[in-house]
Amino acid sequence: MRVPTVVVGGSVAGVRTVQALRARGYEEDIVLVDQEPGPPYDKPALSKEILTGAAAEPPALAELGDLAVDHRPGLAATGLDLAARRLVTGSGSIPFGRLVIATGSRPRRLPALEGRAGVHYLRTRADAASLRAEFTRRPRVVVVGGGFIGGEVASSARALGLDVTIVEAAPRLLTRLMPLEVSDRVARLHRDHGVRVLCGRSVTGCFGRDRVETVELGDGTRLDADVVVAGIGTTPATGWLSGSGLVLDDGVRCRPDLSADGADGVWAIGDCARWFDVASSRPVRLEHWTAAREQAAFVAGAFTGDGATTAFTTTGYVWSDQHGVRIQHVGRCDAATTTSSSPAGDGRGLLFVHHDGDEPVGATAFDAPRDLLAFRRRLTSATAPITERTRG
Ligand SMILES: Cc1cc2nc3c(=O)[nH]c(=O)nc-3n(C[C@H](O)[C@H](O)[C@H](O)COP(=O)(O)OP(=O)(O)OC[C@H]3O[C@@H](n4cnc5c(N)ncnc54)[C@H](O)[C@@H]3O)c2cc1C
């Protein structure tokens, strides 16, 4: 019997790996193990069209029937036996020749919100369906966390005319991701669309009889809430790998070529991978759709021998849609960079450019896709360092 290539995780990183392998003529057997039931779907719509009701289902990621892949939905990997080269699952183990780990990440939970109905986290199709059902009852919504996910949930809730407050513990929105100029712009966008934005306040508790009725903040403020959505970051879904011999350090620690430290023939990609980024000279983990897709293509190229094999690099492109505005970012912005802004080429949007000294090293666009694309192309050719970033 031929020993298959096994891909664990059937979202964008895993599915794009299978697609890229087949597109490059890879003829080995492939098993795709995913704990989610049903066909693979794409996540970005979950906080946007699914919540507003503009779409009933998230888009399918692929037609797996065309890919000659042994898809095993609803099956969770529970361990990895590197010596025996077997993936352990809830119903037996699967031998592998090569293994691609693409198990993504899951929302970080806020202890102050535990134990109450009406508190939501958003990661899966089921999460989005249950939040959408709540939104149809016209609740007052408190969003905890002012990152991309929180901003998108607030935007979708306002599109439905709901009463929405964002509570952010840091002094401003998107602190971990963006400079002051950009976070101010995002805060203004929310306020212009009727979202109450409270920064520098932490949630200390939530109260209610059967379900949440009030959220309490550290300064004693109480906010009425029928629904609370927490978007306070994620942790890599790598618990199933503990004790396997792989190095787990806020993600599966990988070499520059995305192969896992401590193993041969094992790679990790997407939200669960922390690889050594040679352009930035440090380990980086991203939680962006485009990075997951690029890493899938890189690994497929390594397997088939017709891609770059030494070091994965990326411009770290990410987008977010909030209140009808497309926000896009590439490259680096951090404590060492300064930011300037200029109107976009078409006169309607705005482009922020982040400089290290005189050198432009990153950009953030508000409704300026062409300018951003031009900037991204320049960065691609330079393989620039990136800033580690999560979606919040
Ligand atoms: C609501 C939402 C909106 C987003 N919007 C944007 C956006 O607008 N722009 C952008 O750039 N990015 C966006 N992202 C981020 C982007 O979707 C993620 O970066 C991307 O999904 C990461 O893909 P992944 O395949 O690495 O991981 P995931 O999408 O997390 O998928 C991991 C898969 O592995 C499975 N799995 C986990 N553990 C196991 C196990 N033990 N055994 C078997 N299977 C397992 C999971 O069930 C899941 O199917 C969004 C994310 C979310 C949640």
Side-chain angles (χ1 to χ4, degrees):
M1 199 190 90
R2 294 202 300 184
V3 183
T5 294
V6 174
V7 178
V8 198
S11 182
V12 56
V15 169
R16 291 289 182 263
T17 302
V18 178
Q19 286 177 312
L21 283 170
R22 290 299 185 228
R24 289 165 187 262
Y26 192 71
E27 289 181 349
E28 302 294 314
D29 293 344
I30 304 177
V31 179
L32 177 63
V33 174
D34 190 18
Q35 70 182 15
E36 281 262 323
Y41 59 89
D42 215 3
K43 289 193 164 71
L46 298 180
S47 49
K48 308 173 186 78
E49 294 86 345
I50 299 299
L51 288 190
T52 59
E57 287 293 331
L61 264 172
E63 192 44 70
L64 291 181
D66 300 340
L67 295 172
V69 57
D70 177 0
H71 181 215
R72 311 224 186 140
L75 182 64
T78 54
L80 179 62
D81 185 340
L82 278 176
R85 298 196 75 70
R86 296 187 83 90
L87 179 77
V88 183
T89 77
S91 52
S93 68
I94 304 169
F96 62 84
R98 290 172 163 137
L99 179 73
V100 179
I101 298 168
T103 46
S105 58
R106 48 178 61 112
R108 191 171 296 141
R109 317 238 353 152
L110 188 60
L113 297 175
E114 289 302 307
R116 287 266 181 280
V119 173
H120 291 256
Y121 295 85
L122 182 54
R123 186 77 198 173
T124 64
R125 172 165 40 201
D127 295 339
S130 102
L131 188 53
R132 165 71 192 153
E134 295 256 40
F135 278 6
T136 59
R137 294 181 207 116
R138 312 212 54 76
R140 292 159 300 178
V141 180
V142 170
V143 175
V144 184
F148 283 142
I149 291 281
E152 288 169 8
V153 170
S155 158
S156 296
R158 277 304 297 152
L160 296 166
L162 305 182
D163 180 273
V164 183
T165 305
I166 295 178
V167 180
E168 166 59 54
R172 54 187 178 80
L173 300 181
L174 295 167
T175 12
R176 282 177 301 144
L177 322 171
M178 297 291 174
L180 179 65
E181 297 85 340
V182 175
S183 51
D184 279 354
R185 177 91 189 171
V186 173
R188 185 143 47 96
L189 183 65
H190 284 302
R191 290 188 173 115
D192 288 349
H193 286 81
V195 177
R196 219 169 294 114
V197 178
L198 304 178
C199 290
R201 319 253 199 120
S202 315
V203 171
T204 49
C206 72
F207 305 95
R209 235 182 310 180
D210 298 328
R211 50 177 293 139
V212 61
E213 292 170 15
T214 320
V215 171
E216 188 181 64
L217 309 186
D219 62 1
T221 307
R222 286 196 162 209
L223 303 172
D224 292 335
D226 308 300
V227 163
V228 178
V229 188
I232 54 163
T234 70
T235 49
T238 53
W240 63 279
L241 289 165
S242 57
S244 66
L246 296 187
V247 186
L248 304 178
D249 175 16
D250 187 29
V252 179
R253 201 173 76 193
C254 296
R255 305 176 186 108
D257 66 356
L258 305 177
S259 63
D261 256 351
D264 287 326
V266 178
W267 287 258
I269 59 172
D271 283 17
C272 72
R274 173 174 289 279
W275 86 103
F276 190 85
D277 178 44
V278 291
S280 318
S281 297
R282 61 194 164 76
V284 169
R285 186 173 77 85
L286 293 178
E287 294 178 10
H288 306 335
W289 193 96
T290 305
R293 195 205 59 202
E294 291 169 344
Q295 292 179 338
F298 181 92
V299 165
F303 285 16
T304 54
D306 61 348
T309 50
T310 49
F312 171 77
T313 56
T314 176
T315 59
Y317 172 77
V318 59
W319 82 93
S320 178
D321 295 322
Q322 301 185 25
H323 306 291
V325 173
R326 170 145 293 200
I327 304 167
Q328 297 165 293
H329 176 86
V330 285
R332 210 186 112 204
C333 59
D334 52 36
T337 56
T338 56
T339 298
S340 63
S341 68
S342 56
D346 65 7
R348 281 178 298 136
L350 187 62
L351 186 73
F352 291 93
V353 177
H354 313 298
H355 303 265
D356 188 345
D358 291 337
E359 193 190 346
V361 292
T364 311
F366 287 73
D367 270 348
R370 283 186 191 187
D371 299 61
L372 200 282
L373 181 63
F375 192 92
R376 187 178 170 191
R377 287 203 174 118
R378 281 209 311 257
L379 271 192
T380 307
S381 53
T383 55
I386 49 174
T387 309
E388 175 164 289
R389 227 173 285 113
T390 70
R391 295 204 94 242

